Amino acid sequence: MAGREPAARDLVARDSAEQEPLGRDVRSREALARIGRGAHREISHDDLQLLRLLATGLPMDSVARRLDLSERTVRRRTRAACDRLGFGTAVEAIVWAARRGLL
């Protein structure tokens, strides 16, 4: 079996591991795996409000002030929303929401 070609799933797993940026946490990978299996993406009103403000280009501290939250809470909620939606960054989540007319 030394000459057999790797299975497609082995290639996909290796390719995704090679493209994955350093420092991405395990929850993000798990969320991406769920989305890959056809999980439904849902977004709350609060998540949309947060993504709308981030989409304007405001810095985190300004977004925090507008939402009457701490900057740390805004960062935590942004990460949680990205994890729920299956995205690695807020930019990916913003683009996803914008393409669906949610912003």
Side-chain angles (χ1 to χ4, degrees), residues 49-67 71 74-75 78 90-91 94:
Q49 184 181 22
L50 177 61
L51 291 178
R52 279 187 192 110
L53 288 172
L54 291 172
T56 64
L58 288 172
M60 285 285 185
D61 62 330
S62 297
V63 171
R65 278 194 302 270
R66 288 191 181 200
L67 296 175
E71 185 176 346
V74 169
R75 289 185 189 281
T78 302
V91 172
I94 290 166

